Every structure is written in structure tokens, then in C-alpha cells.
Amino acid sequence: MALGKDYDYAAQECSIARALEIVGERWTLLVVRDALYGVRRYNDFLVHLKIPRAVLAARLQSLTEAGVLEKRRYQESPPRDEYVPTELGRALWPALRALGLWGRAFNPDGRPMRTFHHAECGTELGSYGECRACGRAIGPEDVEMRPGPGLGPAEDPVSRALRAPRRLLQPLENQPL
């Protein structure tokens, strides 16, 4: 659960606490992760994350209000919106990458579910998101995600769509999943 509204930041002056106020709830970073992976639509988040509807609606609203995601209308009748990572949302990529590496390091089998590569040259990214061949830090728009050896069976259409090598931020196909 995110920090309470009574929390006194003036006394603590902590940028981590302020960041956690936006992204510190359990489901929030998973929603952001999926948005970076290309998931855009409410039902696709719902199916892939197996998240309660009310929780998803609240997280999408709070992430939109915080400027992490942008709500865009893709269909007028009936009205339907998609959620696209903003610059602020894309800036969370290094933190999500670091959390993923940390989780893998402390996983008993340590096999990655996904690997991340520099789309331009195909080199797997280093620990800090750098291309080992080019020596440059790589932003999410230049990262290709590939299935790793730890990826389990794809139970839902979104998981199946995310198995193909794909660039981060590239939306899933606009067909019903």
C-alpha cells in the first residue's frame, strides 16, 4: 500500500519516499512494466496481470494523474482509451531493470524470463542498461525484449503476444487479444 496522505515529507525530505507515493503500491510497477512492454488497453492489463478491476482502474487513474501514463482515446463509439507511457513513465525503465536484475539474482534458479538487448546491434544489455558493444546507455525506445529461458507457459493472449522479440514501447497489435 502506498504511503498514507498524512505522511510528513517536510520532516523527512526523502526523494525515495516521494517516489514511492506514486509507484510504491504493489500493482503499480507491474502496470508500468506492462505499459513499457507495449500493453496499452485496459482489458489487456486486466488479462495479463490478473489484477482486480477496481485496483487496475485506480492504478491507471493515479498513474495518469501523476503524469506517468497518458490516456489516449483510440475509439469513439463506444469510447475506449489506451494508456501510453510518458517521458516520466519511460524514465522508470532503469529502476524496473534494476529491480528485475535484483529479483533474478535472488531467485533460486536465476533464469531470466526475458532478456533485453540493444535493438541496433543485438547485444544484451549490461547491468546498468548499457550496450556492452557500444558502451552507451540505452533508453527504452532502443531496447529489444526477447523471451528468456525462465519464461513459463503463456496462459493468456497478452503473454503469447509478448513472447515474440519486440521493442519496448511498441504497442501490442490493435487486434482483440
Side-chain angles (χ1 to χ4, degrees):
M1 179 171 251
L3 297 173
K5 297 298 177 199
D6 300 357
Y7 191 80
D8 184 12
Y9 290 118
Q12 188 161 1
E13 295 183 11
C14 177
S15 58
I16 294 172
R18 282 182 284 217
L20 288 174
E21 192 63 23
I22 297 170
V23 297
E25 187 277 332
R26 173 184 178 215
W27 289 105
T28 303
L29 283 178
L30 296 176
V31 170
V32 173
R33 177 207 63 192
D34 274 14
L36 290 172
Y37 285 2
V39 177
R40 297 283 186 267
R41 298 182 178 177
Y42 180 89
N43 282 335
D44 293 343
F45 285 110
L46 196 65
V47 165
H48 190 241
L49 294 172
K50 297 173 183 65
I51 182 174
R53 287 180 181 274
V55 173
L56 177 59
R59 296 307 160 260
L60 290 171
Q61 181 177 347
S62 67
L63 288 167
T64 301
E65 288 170 359
V68 174
L69 297 177
E70 177 186 347
K71 187 175 179 179
R72 291 185 191 162
R73 179 73 31 105
Y74 71 87
Q75 180 179 306
E76 290 299 329
S77 182
R80 298 202 191 274
D81 299 310
E82 61 183 7
Y83 298 87
V84 180
T86 63
E87 184 177 341
L88 192 61
R90 292 187 304 272
L92 284 166
W93 163 244
L96 288 169
R97 169 125 175 97
L99 278 171
L101 290 172
W102 181 82
R104 184 164 98 187
F106 293 99
N107 179 343
D109 78 9
R111 297 177 328 141
M113 291 193 285
R114 292 181 170 79
T115 59
F116 300 94
H117 303 259
H118 184 194
E120 189 175 303
C121 70
T123 302
E124 188 169 358
L125 299 182
S127 296
Y128 298 101
E130 79 284 3
C131 176
R132 293 175 178 163
C134 305
R136 298 186 331 228
I138 305 301
E141 61 282 344
D142 294 321
V143 173
E144 181 181 74
M145 175 176 68
R146 299 177 187 171
L151 196 59
E155 299 174 3
D156 61 82
V158 176
S159 294
R160 285 192 290 277
L162 291 175
R163 284 187 173 278
R166 58 183 296 105
R167 280 189 183 224
L168 294 186
L169 304 173
Q170 177 187 7
L172 292 178
E173 295 299 319
N174 289 339
Q175 58 195 9
L177 297 172

